[in-house]
C-alpha cells in the first residue's frame, strides 16, 4: 500500500519571530510511518516541525503552517491508498501576520484569529476519492461521542481516538492508548502500549480495511 501520513504540530505565524502552535511531538505519526515501512509499504510523511529524525525510506515533506500542510496533502493524496492524518493542525491562525516584530506598547493586546482549513474534512468529502481517510481525535472528555461525531462530520473511514487528558498517554508521551472507531459503529480498543506497538496494530487495521474496500469494488 501507499500511505500519506501527516504528523506533528503546525505553526501559525504572528510576526517574524512569534507563532501559535501546540504540544504535539509527532511521535505517533512517525511511529505509524516506521511501522508502515517495516510492513513493506510506501510512505509519504508530511510533517510539521518536530525533533525526530524522519524515517530513512519515506518520502519526507517538511511543512510549517496549516496552509503548507494543506497544499502538500492535496499534492500527494491521489497517489495514495490511505491518508492518515495524525497531525495536530492549528484550528485558528492570526487574521493578519505582521511583517515586522510587534513592539511592546500597551498593557494588553488582542490578536484576531481566523479558522484554518480543515484538511481532514476537505479530504473526507472529496467526491471522487479512491483512498481511505483516517482521522485522529484528541479528546479530553466525552471521547466516544466526540470521536463518532468527527467520524461522521468529516466523512472518514476510521477515527482513532485518544484521551489527552492524562500525562502518561497521548501528547508528548512515548505511550498511548487508543480506540479505533469504524463507520459501521464497531470499535476496537488498543490498550496502553508504546507508540511503536500501537502503530503496528494500526497499520494492520488499515491493511485489512483496504483489502475489504478492494474486495467490495471488484
Ligand atoms: N484536522 C485537520 N485540519 C484542521 C484541524 C484538524 O486535518 N485544520 C484533523 C487532524 O489531523 C485530526 C482530526 O482533524 O486527524 C481531528 O483533530 P482534532 O483537533 O481532534 O479535532 P478538530 O476537528 O480540530 O475539532 P475540535 O478542536 O473541536 O476537537
Amino acid at each position: 500500500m501507499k500511505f500519506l501520513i501527516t504528523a506533528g504540530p503546525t505553526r501559525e505565524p504572528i510576526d517574524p519571530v512569534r507563532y501559535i502552535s501546540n504540544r504535539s511531538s509527532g511521535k505517533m505519526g512517525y511511529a505509524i510511518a516506521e511501522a508502515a515501512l517495516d510492513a513493506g509499504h510506501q510512505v509519504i510523511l508530511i510533517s510539521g516541525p518536530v525533533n525526530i529524525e524522519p524515517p530513512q525510506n519515506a518520502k519526507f515533506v517538511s511543512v510549517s503552517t496549516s496552509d503548507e500542510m494543506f497544499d502538500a496533502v492535496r499534492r500527494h493524496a491521489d497517489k495514495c491508498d490511505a491518508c492518515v492524518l495524525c497531525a495536530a493542525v492549528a484550528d485558528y491562525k492570526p487574521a493578519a501576520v505582521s511583517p515586522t516584530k510587534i513592539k511592546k506598547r500597551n498593557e494588553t493586546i488582542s490578536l484576531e484569529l481566523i479558522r484554518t482549513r480543515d484538511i481532514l474534512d476537505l479530504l473526507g468529502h472529496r467526491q471522487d476519492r479512491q483512498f481511505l481517510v483516517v482521522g485522529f481525535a484528541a479528546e479530553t472528555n466525552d471521547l466516544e461521542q466526540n470521536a463518532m461525531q468527527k467520524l461522521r462530520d468529516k466523512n472518514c473511514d476510521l477515527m482513532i481516538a485518544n484521551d489527552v487528558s492524562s500525562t502518561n498517554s497521548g501528547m508528548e508521551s512515548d505511550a498511548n492508548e487508543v480506540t479505533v472507531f469504524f463507520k459501521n459503529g464497531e470499535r476496537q480498543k488498543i490498550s496502553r502500549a508504546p507508540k511503536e506497538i500501537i502503530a503496528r496494530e494500526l497499520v494492520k487495521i488499515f491493511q485489512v480495511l483496504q483489502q475489504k474496500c478492494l474486495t467490495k469494488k471488484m
Side-chain angles (χ1 to χ4, degrees):
M1 277 175 77
K2 202 159 184 183
F3 282 92
L4 178 154
I5 299 167
T6 69
T10 64
R11 287 181 181 171
E12 310 303 327
I14 298 169
D15 70 13
V17 295
R18 303 182 178 98
Y19 56 80
I20 294 173
S21 193
N22 59 64
R23 287 171 39 203
S24 170
S25 64
K27 284 176 189 164
M28 195 66 239
Y30 277 59
I32 295 173
E34 294 279 11
L37 289 164
D38 286 348
H41 303 296
Q42 290 178 52
V43 172
I44 301 172
L45 177 62
I46 300 171
S47 175
V50 297
N51 289 314
I52 317 175
E53 281 295 311
Q56 280 204 339
N57 296 319
K59 177 176 169 59
F60 184 68
V61 184
S62 169
V63 298
S64 181
T65 66
S66 58
D67 285 327
E68 288 170 9
M69 188 169 278
F70 173 82
D71 287 339
V73 169
R74 198 174 43 177
R75 247 193 343 269
H76 295 288
D78 282 315
K79 294 176 233 157
C80 298
D81 304 302
C83 294
V84 181
L85 301 197
C86 207
V89 185
D91 289 328
Y92 293 91
K93 63 179 181 179
V97 183
S98 170
T100 52
K101 188 179 168 210
I102 298 170
K103 292 308 248 180
K104 173 165 81 241
R105 288 202 184 91
N106 305 326
E107 279 306 309
T108 61
I109 183 171
S110 302
L111 200 57
E112 191 188 355
L113 301 177
I114 55 171
R115 287 279 290 269
T116 56
R117 282 179 289 194
D118 192 318
I119 305 168
L120 181 61
D121 189 78
L122 291 162
L123 217 53
H125 285 100
R126 274 263 314 267
Q127 290 299 324
D128 53 343
R129 75 170 161 92
Q130 302 286 319
F131 45 78
L132 289 180
V133 173
V134 180
F136 276 73
E139 305 294 343
T140 55
N141 55 284
D142 303 315
L143 183 104
E144 184 180 327
Q145 197 188 329
N146 288 335
M148 283 306 289
Q149 187 74 40
K150 279 180 194 169
L151 177 76
R152 279 192 296 270
D153 289 352
K154 303 193 188 200
N155 197 34
C156 300
D157 299 292
L158 283 182
M159 186 58 74
I160 323 286
N162 71 318
D163 181 348
V164 288
S165 63
S166 70
T167 47
N168 64 355
S169 207
M171 279 196 160
E172 292 177 311
S173 166
D174 289 330
N176 207 353
E177 176 185 317
V178 302
T179 308
V180 183
F181 291 92
F182 296 81
K183 257 183 170 174
N184 62 4
E186 278 177 28
R187 71 204 52 195
Q188 190 172 330
K189 190 171 171 178
I190 307 178
S191 317
R192 190 174 146 71
K195 284 181 174 170
E196 288 70 27
I197 306 285
I198 303 263
R200 234 179 280 162
E201 292 305 310
L202 289 176
V203 169
K204 280 186 209 157
I205 294 172
F206 302 154
Q207 249 172 284
V208 171
L209 191 62
Q210 159 76 0
Q211 275 307 319
K212 275 190 193 160
C213 290
L214 280 181
T215 320
K216 240 192 247 173
K217 276 181 202 158
M218 281 199 298

